[in-house]
Amino acid sequence: DAGVTQSPTHLIKTRGQQVTLRCSPKSGHDTVSWYQQALGQGPQFIFQYYEEEERQRGNFPDRFSGHQFPNYSSELNVNALLLGDSALYLCASSLDRVNEKLFFGSGTQLSVL
Amino acid sequence: GNSVTQMEGPVTLSEEAFLTINCTYTATGYPSLFWYVQYPGEGLQLLLKATKADDKGSNKGFEATYRKETTSFHLEKGSVQVSDSAVYFCALRLPNRDDKIIFGKGTRLHILP
């Protein structure tokens, strides 16, 4: 039973560029949440997708957008990258939007130069 | 606002020592409380949880009790092992609202053989 998988594992971009991160949820899960974890900090909630729609959003600018596909996989897009966007981006999946037990992927480490 | 505060690390202990990592929270209503663990190079894993006052969550020798009167959820283990070295995150889930998880900043634990 595959867990949550994310790609790529590492990414280096320059300021102003755009990036797309990908996530496949745990088998049987239909809800995907994205978190940003800056160095030395706890994960911060970006948004949650369920039934191919954004259901909740944290305090992140519109430069952060996402998508969920019919197979429940998801993408996180960040436009006009800033140095401060450098972080570990974590994807978490759950069932029926219930976050009592989130399953996390290993994350994508994004470095913006 | 809603938040989680946990003791700053790193915490360094010798093998078989007693562990306490303090966590306090601020939240409206009655949140569910969690401890997540992040091993090097991996995503977060749910360690234990408690959903109401006086509940005790336990797993792998770790315990935490939901104390509403002190708004605390301290993590304890009687005898730590080198393999317990990781970053530990205290978190809460807001009830009956947007259901997102709010994490503390994390506490790094080093166990010396």
Side-chain angles (χ1 to χ4, degrees), chain A residues 35 37 40-45 48 56-58 88 90 97-107, chain B residues 32 34 36 38 41-46 49 51 87 89 93 97-106:
Chain A
Y35 288 79
Q37 186 180 8
Q41 302 294 315
Q44 298 291 315
F45 175 75
Q48 181 189 74
Q56 305 169 38
R57 189 177 184 92
L88 179 68
L90 296 168
R97 302 181 61 190
V98 177
N99 288 331
E100 283 294 318
K101 187 172 184 180
L102 289 175
F103 285 81
F104 282 84
S106 299
Chain B
S32 296
F34 307 86
Y36 279 83
Q38 187 174 34
E42 299 184 14
L44 280 73
Q45 302 174 25
L46 179 64
K49 69 176 184 180
T51 57
V87 182
F89 293 91
R93 169 179 167 259
R97 285 191 61 208
D98 52 16
D99 200 43
K100 64 183 178 183
I101 307 290
I102 296 173
F103 289 87
K105 292 186 176 182

Side-chain angles (χ1 to χ4, degrees), chain A residues 2 10 14 16-17 19 21 24 30-31 40 46-47 50 52 57 59 62 70 72 78 94 108 111:
Chain A
H10 296 83
T14 56
Q17 284 189 313
V19 68
L21 310 181
S24 292
D30 57 9
T31 304
I46 303 175
F47 43 52
Y50 174 74
E52 302 180 48
R57 189 177 184 92
N59 295 323
D62 292 344
Y72 308 124
V78 187
S94 57
T108 293
S111 298

Side-chain angles (χ1 to χ4, degrees), chain B residues 14-17 77 79-85 109 111-112:
Chain B
S14 297
E15 203 166 22
E16 299 183 2
K77 186 175 185 182
S79 177
V80 292
Q81 305 300 314
V82 172
S83 58
D84 294 327
S85 298
L109 175 65
I111 306 299
L112 304 175

Side-chain angles (χ1 to χ4, degrees), chain A residues 7-25:
Chain A
S7 63
T9 55
H10 296 83
L11 204 52
I12 299 175
K13 292 286 188 178
T14 56
R15 280 180 299 175
Q17 284 189 313
Q18 180 265 343
V19 68
T20 297
L21 310 181
R22 296 176 176 82
C23 172
S24 292

Side-chain angles (χ1 to χ4, degrees), chain A residues 3-6 21-35 45-57 65-76 89-99 101-105:
Chain A
V4 179
T5 58
Q6 293 185 242
L21 310 181
R22 296 176 176 82
C23 172
S24 292
K26 179 180 170 61
S27 177
H29 283 185
D30 57 9
T31 304
V32 172
S33 300
W34 287 92
Y35 288 79
F45 175 75
I46 303 175
F47 43 52
Q48 181 189 74
Y49 276 84
Y50 174 74
E51 293 186 335
E52 302 180 48
E53 290 189 15
E54 182 182 297
R55 300 291 179 169
Q56 305 169 38
R57 189 177 184 92
S65 63
H67 188 76
Q68 186 179 35
F69 299 94
N71 67 353
Y72 308 124
S73 66
S74 176
E75 290 182 347
L76 164 65
Y89 288 84
L90 296 168
C91 172
S93 72
S94 57
L95 183 61
D96 290 339
R97 302 181 61 190
V98 177
N99 288 331
K101 187 172 184 180
L102 289 175
F103 285 81
F104 282 84

